[in-house]
Structure formats: C-alpha cells, structure tokens
Amino acid sequence: VGSLASLVGIGAITLGIIEGPLKGWTDPLVLGGLIIGVVGIIAFVAWELHTDKPLLDVRLFKLAGFSTGSISIFLQFVAAFGFFFTASQFLAFVFDYSPLLIGLGLLPIGVTIPLASGLAPKLITAYGRGPVGGAGLAILAAGAAMFSFVGVDSSYWQFAIAVLVFGFGFGLAAPPATEAIVEALPSNKQGVASAINDVTRELGGALGIAVVGSFLTAGYRSSVESSDALPAPLVEPISDSAGAGLAIAGETAAGGDRQLAGSIIDTVRSGIADGFGQAMLVAAAVAGVGAIYVAIRTPRNATPLVEELVADG
C-alpha cells in the first residue's frame, strides 16, 4: 500500500509539473495530476503512520539531523539533475555541440566535486555540519545563478567557470548531509539511513528534471512567441520544441529561403538560452533557500529523541 501510494503521489506530481508549461497550469490534466499527487503523498504518510511494518517510518523525520540531511540531498539533486538536463540542451542548441562535446563540456564538474568533497571533513570538524552544508548549497546556488549570464554570444569558458563553481558547491554540500543522516540513526537502523540517502537522490533527480526542465520549456516558448523575426504561422510549431524549430529551419533552407531559415535558427538559440537562464535561476533559488535552512537547522549531534523514535516495536 505504501509503495502504491508513493508511486501515485510522486508520479502524478511529476506529470503535472512536466505538462504545466505545455498545456497551461489550469489544464484539467495538470491540475488533476497535482491534486492526485498531493493526495497520494498524504495517503502514503497516513498509511506509514498506521501500519505496524511501515515501508518508511516517517517519524524519523522528527530527528533534525535526519530531516535536514535528507532535505539537503534532495535539493542538491533537484539543482544538479535540473542542471544536467537543461545544460545539455543549451550546449546542443546554442553552442551546437555534438553529444561527445556536450559530455566534454560538462566534464569540469568532475574536477571540483572531489576537490570540495575532500575538503569537507576538515571543514566539518572545524565549523560543524550546518555551516559547511549551508555554505555548499550557497556556492551551488551561486554557480547556478552564474549560468543566467551565459547567452548566445558567450564563450564556452564563461560556461565552464560556472560549472566549476557549481561543482564545488555540490561537492561541499554532499558529505555533511550524508553524515547527518547516518549519524542520526543507531547501528541497527543504518539500512534505513542508506535507503533514505539513495531515495532522496532519486526523488530529487526526478523532480529536478521536471521542475527545472519545465522552466526551460516555459522560457523557450515565451521567447519564441515574443519574437518579431518569425511569420505568425510558424510561431506555434517552432515554440513546441527546439528540435521542431531546427527541423522547420532545415525544410525552409531546402526550399530556398535561407534568410528565414537563419532567423528561425537564431530564434531557437535565443529561446533556449533564455529558457536555460530562467531555469538555472530557479535552481539557484531552490539551493539558496536550502542553504539557509541547512545552516540553521542542522544539529552538531544526534537528537536525544533518536532512541525513542527508532526503538524496535
């Protein structure tokens, strides 16, 4: 029952978020998905509190370390997977990178993540999990915000610098969050700690793609629809997706109108750049709010209620 309720809740909310920018937030499918999703999550929590053998003992979230660590990881992966999903489209449609070059373009994040992760334990010892975790999310937010300044005329190196900052924040925020979850529970509950550590990553990744990706779509559509460079009949099909826009540009060029084809390509590139900047500002806002919460709420030690909450039976 718990698995089914969580599936309905998360799946319906994700559906509503993805379809919102395309169909409109008042569309019955979108509203129905969001409402059903909320009901599903409430049903999951209610069932888990009711059953003797819960899939997840939701009372554990009363533990400050457990809850703040989980929320931190969730928000990190909302921002990270939202970034990977939207940045790959930016590199493909704006910089015209091949799949191989897209991978190489994102590679700098692999430099600063391990660097920051290696520094985190010493910083935690000196300053505590809360300040370090909050600083990591704040740096991640700053890196995300930097992407909003990358446009069609930017060089790759401007993009790469933002990737390095984003990766450093991600690498710094992860260790204290994981440590907070693990240390909040006794040894006989480490399986739960490990599972939550994974589930929050998966859930954050799924919703990050949905939420941040929806803002990319909304920003792209808004940019295309406000463009003066397109004939009115072409605005709607081109605003459906960047891929559709480039396909129309190819057909237009093949028909001999290269000037219009060039205008379509420029509009698509500008639309994706605008949508990417908007999407990453949303990711920055998510991480920024998380930074404040984590810095204030993360305890240095496990809460005294832990034994009471996780006792067998």
Side-chain angles (χ1 to χ4, degrees):
V1 175
S3 296
L4 181 61
S6 65
L7 173 64
V8 171
I10 296 169
I13 288 176
T14 303
L15 172 67
I17 293 172
I18 290 174
E19 294 296 331
L22 301 176
K23 297 182 178 296
W25 294 103
T26 57
D27 182 84
L29 176 65
V30 176
L31 283 177
L34 295 175
I35 292 171
I36 292 172
V38 171
V39 171
I41 296 299
I42 293 173
F44 170 77
V45 173
W47 177 260
E48 297 305 294
L49 289 172
H50 166 78
T51 182
D52 293 333
K53 295 183 178 180
L55 182 69
L56 170 63
D57 187 349
V58 294
R59 297 177 303 159
L60 293 175
F61 287 99
K62 292 181 179 180
L63 303 173
F66 189 83
S67 59
T68 55
S70 300
I71 290 172
S72 177
I73 290 176
F74 171 76
L75 296 179
Q76 291 167 41
F77 277 75
V78 167
F81 273 65
F83 162 68
F84 286 126
F85 180 71
T86 56
S88 60
Q89 296 183 61
F90 176 85
L91 293 175
F93 293 115
V94 178
F95 284 0
D96 196 27
Y97 281 8
S98 67
L100 176 61
L101 286 178
I102 291 171
L104 293 175
L106 297 174
L107 197 59
I109 200 170
V111 175
T112 48
I113 286 179
L115 175 64
S117 295
L119 291 173
K122 293 181 180 179
L123 294 175
I124 292 171
T125 301
Y127 303 105
R129 286 194 294 263
V132 175
L137 280 168
I139 295 171
L140 188 153
M146 290 172 64
F147 288 111
S148 66
F149 296 100
V150 180
V152 293
D153 297 322
S154 300
S155 68
Y156 166 72
W157 297 110
Q158 185 177 349
F159 178 88
I161 291 172
V163 172
L164 290 169
V165 175
F166 187 90
F168 190 89
F170 188 73
L172 190 62
T178 299
E179 185 178 291
I181 294 173
V182 171
E183 291 193 1
L185 301 183
S187 58
N188 67 327
K189 294 293 182 180
Q190 287 305 301
V192 175
S194 176
I196 286 296
N197 202 27
D198 290 340
V199 166
T200 49
R201 284 167 163 78
E202 299 291 345
L203 185 58
L207 291 182
I209 291 172
V211 173
V212 180
S214 71
F215 278 92
L216 171 69
T217 300
Y220 170 77
R221 289 173 66 90
S222 176
S223 178
V224 171
E225 290 170 355
S226 64
S227 174
D228 297 327
L230 301 176
L234 292 181
V235 172
E236 184 175 349
I238 291 174
S239 67
D240 281 344
S241 70
L246 294 184
I248 293 172
E251 295 171 0
T252 303
D257 195 340
R258 294 187 176 276
Q259 182 176 356
L260 178 57
S263 297
I264 294 173
I265 292 172
D266 290 342
T267 300
V268 169
R269 294 179 68 221
S270 296
I272 288 293
D274 291 344
F276 177 62
Q278 179 176 304
M280 293 315 295
L281 283 177
V282 171
V286 168
V289 171
I292 297 171
Y293 175 80
V294 168
I296 294 174
R297 288 285 298 158
T298 303
R300 279 186 171 270
N301 301 305
T303 170
L305 294 176
V306 64
E307 295 300 335
E308 174 187 345
L309 289 171
V310 302
D312 292 335

